Amino acid sequence: MIVMRTLKGWTGIKELNGNKIEGNCLSHQVVLTEAKTNPEQLKMLNDWLRSYRLTNCLVETTVSVIS
């Protein structure tokens, strides 16, 4: 699980079904309620999360455990 803290309304889906989402009160809600069953909403969610480019932020490391 990745938890990301941002300002409310700072990032997210910009528009859904013709309604502005990002930067208004709707951005505080779960707006992609049908992402599990709606391919269009799933793509929007995927595109939004990939925009963070988390693979550039995460570094694989090896940790030695001394016992």
Side-chain angles (χ1 to χ4, degrees):
M1 175 189 296
I2 296 173
V3 177
M4 182 175 160
R5 289 186 175 198
T6 65
L7 300 174
K8 288 187 175 187
W10 182 55
T11 68
I13 305 302
K14 296 191 184 312
E15 186 177 297
L16 178 63
N17 300 328
N19 298 314
K20 181 182 176 192
I21 303 297
E22 186 180 67
N24 73 19
C25 64
L26 294 176
S27 64
H28 307 279
Q29 302 171 19
V30 177
V31 295
L32 296 174
T33 57
E34 299 174 21
K36 284 185 175 181
T37 57
N38 182 317
E40 183 180 331
Q41 285 194 14
L42 180 59
K43 181 182 181 330
M44 292 172 75
L45 177 61
N46 192 27
D47 291 347
W48 170 50
L49 293 175
R50 287 184 185 272
S51 74
Y52 289 109
R53 297 182 179 160
L54 292 176
T55 54
N56 295 342
C57 300
L58 303 175
V59 178
E60 186 176 332
T61 61
T62 304
V63 177
S64 302
V65 177
I66 300 173
S67 51

